Amino acid sequence: MTIAEAIENETSETSATTTPEPTVTFDDLGLPQNLLNAVKELGFVKPSTIQERAIPELLNGADITGIAQTGTGKTAAFGLPMLAALDPNLREVQALVLAPTRELALQVSEAIESFATHINGLEVLAVYGGSPYPPQIRALKNGVQVVVGTPGRVIDHLERGTLDLSNVRFLVLDEADEMLRMGFAEDVERVFSEAPRERQVALFSATMPPQIRRVAQQHLNNPVEIAVARQSTTVSSVTQDYAIVPFRHKTGSLFRVLATSDADAAIVFCRTRGAAEEVGSALVERGISAATISGDVAQKDREKIVERLRAGQLDVLVATDVAARGLDVERIGLVVNFDIPGEPEAYVHRIGRTGRAGRTGRALSFVTPSERNKLKFIERTIRTKLNEVEIPSPADVSEHKTKKMLDSLESRIQAGRLSMYEGLIAQYLESNETEAVTVAAALAAIAVGDSGPRAHAEQAEYEAQVAEDRKAKKIREERGEGRFKDRSGRGDRFDRGDKRDRGDRRGRDRGAESGTRYRLSVGHKDGAEPRGIVGALTNEGGLSGRDLGRIDIFGSFSLVDINTNMDDDMIGRISRARVSGKPLRIRVDDGGPAPRGKSKFEDRGRGSRDRSDKRSRNSDRSDRFSKSRHGGRNFK
Ligand code: ADP
Ligand code: MG
């Protein structure tokens, strides 16, 4: 296959051909078991495209040229078949990998070492400029099988007679274009001339300039050309952001992201068809011009929708991966991964829907607290760190809208015909003692405010929460509690559950807002632990784990969020249940002193569905008590 054909194959993912290719696993590639084990231990599940294509060819003994960008998994593509070809019992240099820089040489040698963990006696040595010779020379004398080095240092060793290439049977040029750019062409030639004729060569390069073609023609033996077009790499014109968003805040977050975006059009990716449809209709309900395409929307309808998007009749497309294959619409300035994909390739494909035709684009991925590992995996694979951002608050949305409105003010003033309004405003100012700026502000708020994405009460609650979290964060930072500066702490903004205390319950954000806060009469002093409390609530109270939210354990008592209605019977049972030998004596938390008698607590139990008690839970732990103590508002 020619390179052009290969690229064609990679990129011709038109929306017409949506049949997924059968999945190839590492086991299908013909690698020996010890390497397969190592690969599994590294957490590689599925071979990347370049691996899938290069490994069988190299195992067959062919030379290859691989055109692939950074992050496509080239190291394993050559490293695994290379290790399969070596004899660990022979203590001579059998494989040489040339890499342009010290960092790359180190990286590659470490990767090869990790692939070789189950090969006894296999040694890998990295040689690069700027490091002392003696240890390298010693290692070479002791007999390493794989040398990974920068061309300059490799030549130095050749000249000193400390490196012998006469037994090399596997030669790799990694990032060949970079090596030539750095002026290593002659050194590379020299290496080729010193290595035996009978050897296998793998040449990898992100690009194929004529100079590299010449090298390949001259030194490679009928190479199989493998090209992977941009598939697992990302486009630099796309800004890649992520935000930690607990699951149930996703839809609200999406509205605010869309409401503050300046993109002409956006595409929102969901994992499943069901989710896409739900999100699509939620957007339409809020007056956003959106449509959903999933795999089972007929091809013709899909084309119509895409046409409307292109023509500007539609602003937001909600889609699943399958449905968005090959979508190429210049207007798309924003891609939202409503659900972050598990596969880096899907991620790359998705964000490639923006930044088309030389435009810039933005990709924003929603990551739930328990999906951080998916994010890490994507970052590792594409070798790019995503920027953490915060989801705009409702206030940000209002501000954005107001600014937009102010931007159009000038032209509205120019357009004239304002005298009726001027008259009314002047009259108002005269008869009321109000500043003009206040009047303008109130008008702006009216114009912008109520169409905000959240109902007022909810919005106020949300803003209070954000403000408190910021305050708490600031206090922690001022105290110099470095670990709290950790980015992961940001999730607190939405998920007020304190992850550090909740351990494995961190992914559960449901209790944070939707339940009722109860107080239990056991605490640290009694030796209470979350496990015991959860056990008592689920066993004695018949609650399920899903009903439980955040648990905070204090000295003599604990607080727990329970998001289900409990009848008196349940409350009674839980109340009598013992943790660390003490009855739990559950009651709704009002921040007051411990309960004295059963009747009082039962009273409270019934009052627990009072909405106002929600508010007390929104405060940070430190001021929760003082607040609710003033109010005592639960049981008026
Ligand atoms: P390249 O040389 O093409 O830039 P690397 O070989 O350095 O890419 O691989 C990039 C990252 O992807 C590394 O962290 C590597 O461990 C990881 N990686 C490679 N192949 C796979 C795979 N099949 N599955 C998961 N991760 C992989
Ligand atoms: Mg590499």
Side-chain angles (χ1 to χ4, degrees), residues 151-193:
R153 180 56 68 105
V154 166
I155 298 296
D156 286 349
H157 277 293
L158 288 176
E159 288 185 340
R160 288 166 178 241
T162 44
L163 175 63
D164 173 16
L165 297 184
S166 60
N167 293 305
V168 163
R169 50 175 105 161
F170 210 103
L171 187 58
V172 179
L173 303 191
D174 197 12
E175 318 250 348
D177 48 354
E178 197 56 35
M179 281 198 283
L180 295 193
R181 245 196 306 279
M182 293 174 70
F184 286 134
E186 253 177 61
D187 295 343
V188 169
E189 291 291 331
R190 165 107 187 253
V191 166
F192 271 118
S193 65

Side-chain angles (χ1 to χ4, degrees), residues 74-75 104 107-108 174-175 383:
K74 293 187 288 290
T75 320
L104 286 169
Q107 229 170 54
V108 167
D174 197 12
E175 318 250 348
R383 290 256 203 87

Side-chain angles (χ1 to χ4, degrees), residues 26 39 42-48 50-51 68-78 104 107-108 111 115 174-175 344 377 379-383:
F26 274 102
V39 160
L42 286 170
F44 294 9
V45 180
K46 196 181 157 293
S48 69
I50 187 95
Q51 290 162 0
Q69 316 282 319
T70 300
T72 45
K74 293 187 288 290
T75 320
F78 67 77
L104 286 169
Q107 229 170 54
V108 167
F115 304 147
D174 197 12
E175 318 250 348
F377 180 49
E379 287 185 328
R380 257 200 313 141
T381 308
I382 66 172
R383 290 256 203 87

Side-chain angles (χ1 to χ4, degrees), residues 254-255 258-259 280 282-291 314-316:
L254 177 62
F255 293 134
L258 292 174
L283 292 178
V284 170
E285 260 168 43
R286 302 257 180 149
I288 293 173
S289 133
L314 200 62
D315 294 331
V316 181

